[in-house]
Amino acid sequence: VRLGLVAEEPWLDDARLADELGFDLVWIEAPLAVAAAAGAATTSIRIVAAPHASLDAIALAEEAAVADLATAGRLVLCVDATADVELLHDAFAGRPVERNGMRFRVTPLPAQLDLPVWIGPAADGAVTGRNRSIAVRAVSTGFDPVELAAELRSAGLDVAVLRLTGPGRREAIERIVRLVRPRLLLEDVSPGLDAYWRSLG
Amino acid sequence: VGRDNPVLDVGLGLWSMRSTAAAPAPLPALYRELQDDARLAESLGFHSLWLSEHHFWYDGWCPSLLVAGASALAATTRLHVGTGVFLAPLHDPGHVAAVGLALERLAPGRFELGMGTGYRPDELAAFGVARSERGKRLDALLDRLADAWADGGPSIWLGGLSERALRRAGRRGLSLFLPSTMRLPQLREAIDVARAAADEAGTHLARVGMLKNAWIVDDADDEAAVRRAIGEASREYGGAWWELQGSVGFEVPELLDAQVARAAETALVGSADDLVAGLAELADAGVDLVALHVALDTTRPTYRAMMSRIAADVLPRLS
């Protein structure tokens, strides 16, 4: 299971922390400009831009391409179900698009050959991505790490994006990295190993 | 204002992340360099770095300045990042309002939104904007932003040289962002028009910014080569896009040559003393921010060295 973190405003502190701690992605519910800023503030993490407002598809394709370039190809674009995904894929591939009787190509092209476009999240948190089972999950900062790891494993998710609610977010984020993430990749965790991880906190 | 000590903010222009036929480059590298250059500009003491916009052009000319600008803001802590200019009629007012507020959260007081109306027919047509509607759409955006940013938002600068454009900036108490090729008498006249409109409306013109092609040279040979490079930087898009007496630039080579020559002639090219004197003239005319246009595609190999040289030899002589 790949792990993501939903960034809280003002976004970049969470993006930096998630990057430093090795999260696979940071989820940014804000305009694509904020995703580009998160790219400049980080080095490795993938950035999911989930802009709230629906934007004209051409303008969205331009913004996403620029954000992908500004993040050195680390962008994932997540749009709502009403977005013209076909046009986005055409634009990202450099194929011609038509608008107002004009035929033209959207520039620049993104850094990635195949910029991921996800759709969602639905009311239950499910996100549709090519060949991936993805969901955004609300998790209380008081979570039990063993239970959370078991839940994420049994859900069969490829990507779990955690939206932390409650006090002590930073400490909770560190507990995810120390006590939850290792359990996503190990079948069995001995009591001694568990005790060792807990002693690191 | 003393002639030896012009008072003005000095920024740099004009980043557009283009991979042109004349100066090809990998686009991801150009976006990485934008962030590097922003950090360099900040460390050298420049006030700001300015971006420019166009759409649907083979070289990738950056179409989304709010996105690119956000990356430069996040790469720095004090530098201002501006648009010179954002093509207002092509953008959704609600989106601009929302993104401006997000940038204000990310980098309070550091984003400068310079706006113009755009002129390239293909861009206007693709976004369904009639040429005659551009001013109306700009006004609608300005009304929207005045409302949405009433409690704080990016500063607004307006480009455009028509009397209507100059009066709009004055009447609304906004700032001007003027082009490099203006000569002093025209510059003074433009500022007078904007100030008069501000007076009539009972407000004042906020600031006067200007883009200025600039370079420090050591001798006359160097100067000729630099002026040529500055002029040539506009030949491709001028030839492809500008309407000169009813024809597209490349169809009227002598008119295009004249425009290219004008860019070369009006550039501030000379010794560091010449640059300081030129900036003093602009400050006397009422300009209080100059974006020195050094980052042309034709100067890509050397503009960073020029940033350092201007910082060392010119900035300390301004106040």
Side-chain angles (χ1 to χ4, degrees), chain B residues 126-189:
Chain B
F127 285 105
V129 178
R131 206 176 169 81
S132 59
E133 279 180 351
R134 293 175 299 160
K136 202 171 69 188
R137 290 178 75 116
L138 173 57
D139 275 320
L141 174 58
L142 291 171
D143 290 343
R144 177 73 175 257
L145 298 182
D147 189 39
W149 297 353
D151 296 328
S155 302
I156 298 173
W157 308 67
L158 295 183
L161 285 179
S162 69
E163 180 165 351
R164 194 171 157 213
L166 296 166
R167 290 185 55 82
R168 178 187 284 119
R171 193 174 66 241
R172 290 177 177 270
L174 300 173
S175 300
L176 293 177
F177 192 82
L178 299 167
S180 177
T181 50
M182 289 180 95
R183 296 189 173 96
L184 277 174
Q186 191 192 8
L187 174 64
R188 290 181 197 277
E189 201 177 318

Side-chain angles (χ1 to χ4, degrees), chain A residues 9 33 40 62-63 70 100 107, chain B residues 35 55-57 70 95 105 126 128:
Chain A
E9 269 192 72
E62 291 180 327
E63 289 206 352
N100 298 315
T107 58
Chain B
Q35 293 168 35
H55 299 257
F56 318 129
W57 193 241
H95 184 61
R105 292 277 337 248

Side-chain angles (χ1 to χ4, degrees), chain B residues 5-20:
Chain B
N5 248 3
V7 179
L8 76 180
D9 287 327
V10 178
L12 297 165
L14 209 50
W15 274 255
S16 30
M17 285 68 79
R18 303 161 57 204
S19 175
T20 61

Side-chain angles (χ1 to χ4, degrees), chain A:
Chain A
V1 187
R2 302 260 191 179
L3 278 184
L5 179 72
V6 177
E8 282 201 347
E9 269 192 72
W11 309 290
L12 300 196
D13 292 338
D14 272 2
R16 281 191 198 95
L17 180 63
D19 189 40
E20 284 162 12
L21 295 175
F23 276 80
D24 294 288
L25 55 93
V26 61
W27 181 280
I28 300 204
E29 293 167 327
L32 275 145
V34 178
T42 58
T43 61
S44 310
I45 196 166
R46 279 169 213 283
I47 295 156
V48 186
H52 287 294
S54 60
L55 187 59
D56 165 71
I58 300 288
L60 180 61
E62 291 180 327
E63 289 206 352
V66 170
D68 192 46
L69 287 161
T71 59
R74 290 187 279 134
L75 189 76
V76 174
L77 178 63
C78 186
V79 294
D80 68 32
T82 66
D84 188 345
V85 175
E86 203 174 322
L87 185 143
L88 291 173
H89 282 304
D90 284 343
F92 296 154
R95 293 189 284 259
V97 299
E98 289 187 23
R99 179 64 68 89
N100 298 315
M102 295 260 305
R103 187 179 156 91
F104 56 94
R105 291 165 210 261
V106 176
T107 58
L109 299 186
Q112 295 178 78
L113 277 181
D114 199 1
L115 197 160
V117 179
W118 294 354
I119 300 164
D124 65 355
V127 175
T128 307
R130 192 185 302 169
N131 302 323
R132 289 281 181 281
S133 170
I134 306 155
V136 179
R137 292 288 174 99
V139 174
S140 158
T141 49
F143 64 84
D144 178 287
V146 178
E147 281 175 21
L148 179 56
E151 186 192 323
L152 294 177
R153 287 166 65 112
S154 66
L157 292 174
D158 297 313
V159 181
V161 183
L162 307 181
R163 184 193 303 280
L164 283 169
T165 58
R169 289 182 81 249
R170 191 186 168 106
E171 203 255 345
I173 291 167
E174 286 167 1
R175 282 170 66 233
I176 288 168
V177 173
R178 213 167 56 246
L179 303 177
V180 178
R181 188 168 63 188
R183 288 186 157 85
L184 301 177
L185 295 169
L186 274 187
E187 291 301 314
D188 296 302
V189 172
S190 68
L193 188 55
D194 179 62
Y196 170 71
W197 288 338
R198 286 177 193 273
S199 77
L200 298 174

Side-chain angles (χ1 to χ4, degrees), chain B residues 1-2 5-9 279-280 283-284 287-289 317-319:
Chain B
V1 177
N5 248 3
V7 179
L8 76 180
D9 287 327
L279 292 173
D284 274 352
V287 172
D288 60 15
L289 177 144
R317 297 168 60 186
L318 310 174
S319 48

